[in-house]
């Protein structure tokens, strides 16, 4: 028997969550963001569920090739644009739309020979200070692009730093609206947090395209302020394993490396075939939520490379072979949101889903 750990990808949940993104931004088109191998889910595993999207956004050229190999003929947007001049050849060959965020990318386009002019998204740095032209440089970048025979339609985008938090997007939205005020072209601003929290009330935030990522993978972008139940999102990935040993502790006994957990009284604990080499976060300390046979309990002590320990007090009947849900969907309709586990480990659902290790078999499920 193979080691019992598996990651299940829930196709129906992916479809549901994408529909939630559409509903959050009515009459905007939707980029399904599938960078980082579809946030760790596998592009091939999400493709059917997401093919109702208007396009796919990603940043790795190899992933763009994989989407075309699945026979996706619709738009694909490279969110970081080209990394070197010859990437433009692939854009021409596979008809990829690409972000233009710095001057050199315009130089490369000007020198590129193509039959088919490229659709580009000119990116404004409206305050996040990651990618994009400053408001001062934006206009001249547009003038240069607009004069190139290699360039077809020019669209405009920016990215929000605080759509999930109290600072909000007002300052960035204002900057974007000013920089693009008299320019013709489609616009794209919103990630998941902006789509869920702000796009419904403001057509300028919805704009022509929204770019939901994390929400479509069943994680709330503004957890813990809101959880997936609040946003009506469903887990799309379950990390599950089994108990491979049961131990009976006496008061004073300790668990795992560093003996960081000490039993106060006699208790049963279970050892789960899942550790940090599977992508489970090593920083999840005692008390991280976990389901055993669908019953909520907690981890104990340090996570080791291949194993972790769980408290069996709430599940006295659990034996070796009992099903353990590290996150996602448990038996009998139970759910452990990835956001809860992430928070206990001082990280985000994003990081956990992207970090599931290659040694974990990934299976498509209903
Ligand atoms: C990753 C990314 C998104 C999606 O962000 P989520 O927070 O996952 O919704 C949108 N736009 C850009 C430019 C991105 O890099």
């Amino acid at each position: 028997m193979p080691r019992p750990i598996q990651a299940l990808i829930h196709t129906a949940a992916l479809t549901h969550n994408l529909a939630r993104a559409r509903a959050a931004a009515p009459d905007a088109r939707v980029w399904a963001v599938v960078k980082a191998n579809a946030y760790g889910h596998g592009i091939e595993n999400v493709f059917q569920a997401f093919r109702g999207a208007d396009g796919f956004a990603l940043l790795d050229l190899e992933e763009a090739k994989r989407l075309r190999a699945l026979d996706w003929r619709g738009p694909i947007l490279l969110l970081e644009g080209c990394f070197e001049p010859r990437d433009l050849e692939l854009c021409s060959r596979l008809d990829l739309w690409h972000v233009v965020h710095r001057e050199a990318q315009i130089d490369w386009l000007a020198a590129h020979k193509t039959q088919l002019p490229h659709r580009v998204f000119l990116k404004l740095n409206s305050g996040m200070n990651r990618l994009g032209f400053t408001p001062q440089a934006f206009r001249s970048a547009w003038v240069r692009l607009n004069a190139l025979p290699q360039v077809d339609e020019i669209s405009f985008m920016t990215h929000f730093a605080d759509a999930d938090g109290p600072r909000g997007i007002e300052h960035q939205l204002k900057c974007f609206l000013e920089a693009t005020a008299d320019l013709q072209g489609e616009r794209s601003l919103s990630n998941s947090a902006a789509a869920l929290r702000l796009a419904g009330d403001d057509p300028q935030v919805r704009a022509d395209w929204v770019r939901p990522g994390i929400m479509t993978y069943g994680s709330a972008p503004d957890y813990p302020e809101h959880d997936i139940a609040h946003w009506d999102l469903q887990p799309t990935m379950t990390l599950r394993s089994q108990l491979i040993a049961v131990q009976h502790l006496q008061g004073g006994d300790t668990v795992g490396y560093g003996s960081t957990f000490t039993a106060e009284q006699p208790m049963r604990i279970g050892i789960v075939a899942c550790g940090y080499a599977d992508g489970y976060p090593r920083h999840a300390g005692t008390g991280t939520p976990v389901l055993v046979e669908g019953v909520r309990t907690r981890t104990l002590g340090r996570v080791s490379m291949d194993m972790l320990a769980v408290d069996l007090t709430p599940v006295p009947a659990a034996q070796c072979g009992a099903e353990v849900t590290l996150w996602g969907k448990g038996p009998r309709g139970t759910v452990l949101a990835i956001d809860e586990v992430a928070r206990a480990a001082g990280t985000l659902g994003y990081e956990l889903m992207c970090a599931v290790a290659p040694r974990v078999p990934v299976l498509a499920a209903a």
Side-chain angles (χ1 to χ4, degrees):
M1 177 181 167
R3 193 159 163 268
I5 192 165
Q6 293 172 330
L8 305 181
I9 306 302
H10 305 293
T11 306
L14 290 160
T15 307
H16 170 89
N17 295 343
L18 185 71
R20 292 286 303 125
R22 247 191 219 295
D27 59 57
R29 272 164 288 157
V30 177
W31 290 110
V33 180
V34 295
K35 64 192 181 191
N37 198 24
Y39 290 51
H41 289 60
I43 289 193
E44 289 76 8
N45 296 324
V46 305
F47 177 66
Q48 284 304 332
F50 283 175
R51 64 180 315 158
D54 299 290
F56 287 88
L58 43 69
L59 33 85
D60 187 314
L61 287 95
E62 289 304 314
E63 292 182 347
K65 283 189 198 165
R66 279 162 58 194
L67 265 175
R68 288 292 185 231
L70 290 164
D71 213 22
W72 172 253
R73 310 231 174 127
I76 296 178
L77 177 63
L78 298 178
L79 290 168
E80 294 180 346
C82 293
F83 302 100
E84 58 172 340
R86 67 186 187 124
D87 294 345
L88 288 166
E89 290 161 25
L90 194 75
C91 292
S92 290
R93 186 145 51 85
L94 298 184
D95 188 15
L96 308 180
W97 303 5
H98 48 102
V99 167
V100 172
H101 64 81
R102 66 182 172 110
E103 211 65 53
Q105 292 173 323
I106 307 179
D107 301 339
W108 304 339
L109 264 168
H112 178 59
K113 295 192 176 37
T114 179
Q115 307 290 322
L116 177 87
H118 292 196
R119 174 82 179 258
V120 298
F121 275 63
L122 181 60
K123 186 159 189 179
L124 175 73
N125 174 7
S126 59
M128 186 160 185
N129 290 310
R130 220 171 49 169
L131 299 184
F133 292 91
T134 60
Q136 298 72 33
F138 192 73
R139 179 67 44 147
S140 65
W142 178 82
V143 168
R144 273 194 80 196
L145 272 179
N146 195 43
L148 294 181
Q150 291 89 343
V151 172
D152 180 25
E153 215 176 306
I154 304 173
S155 305
F156 307 105
M157 69 180 275
T158 197
H159 194 58
F160 295 132
D162 294 285
D164 56 337
R167 187 171 183 213
I169 64 165
E170 277 311 314
H171 58 300
Q172 289 191 263
L173 181 61
K174 180 166 176 286
C175 175
F176 182 81
L177 294 177
E178 283 171 10
T180 59
D182 56 346
L183 297 175
Q184 289 294 317
E186 294 187 344
R187 287 152 164 73
S188 177
L189 299 87
S190 293
N191 57 0
S192 297
L196 282 174
R197 293 165 66 98
L198 306 159
D201 297 331
D202 188 341
Q204 291 182 311
V205 176
R206 292 201 285 284
D208 298 291
W209 294 86
V210 290
R211 307 188 304 271
I214 196 70
M215 67 172 291
T216 61
Y217 301 101
S219 166
D222 56 355
Y223 187 83
E225 186 183 343
H226 299 114
D227 62 12
I228 54 172
H230 173 88
W231 294 121
D232 183 21
L233 300 170
Q234 298 174 4
T236 59
M237 177 194 281
T238 293
L239 183 65
R240 76 173 184 198
S241 188
Q242 291 179 5
L243 296 186
I244 57 168
V246 172
Q247 305 295 343
H248 299 263
L249 305 187
Q250 301 304 313
D253 286 352
T254 64
V255 176
Y257 288 119
S259 305
T260 61
F261 176 79
T262 306
E264 283 175 8
Q265 62 215 16
M267 66 188 291
R268 280 175 84 238
I269 69 166
I271 305 303
V272 184
C274 176
Y276 61 78
D278 299 299
Y280 192 88
R282 203 186 74 87
H283 293 289
T286 295
T288 301
V290 58
L291 308 181
V292 176
E293 300 285 25
V295 177
R296 198 181 166 96
T297 180
R298 57 176 181 150
T299 66
L300 301 173
R302 282 197 194 147
V303 174
S304 48
M305 184 184 286
D306 310 305
M307 285 173 268
L308 57 83
V310 295
D311 185 352
L312 296 181
T313 310
V315 243
Q319 303 295 341
C320 280
E323 179 170 344
V324 178
T325 308
L326 286 316
W327 60 70
K329 300 189 190 196
R332 302 180 309 278
T334 51
V335 167
L336 175 58
I338 196 170
D339 297 326
E340 281 191 72
V341 180
R343 186 160 176 82
T347 183
L348 301 173
Y350 293 82
E351 188 180 19
L352 295 191
M353 56 180 80
C354 290
V356 173
R359 80 176 187 183
V360 176
V362 180
L363 306 177

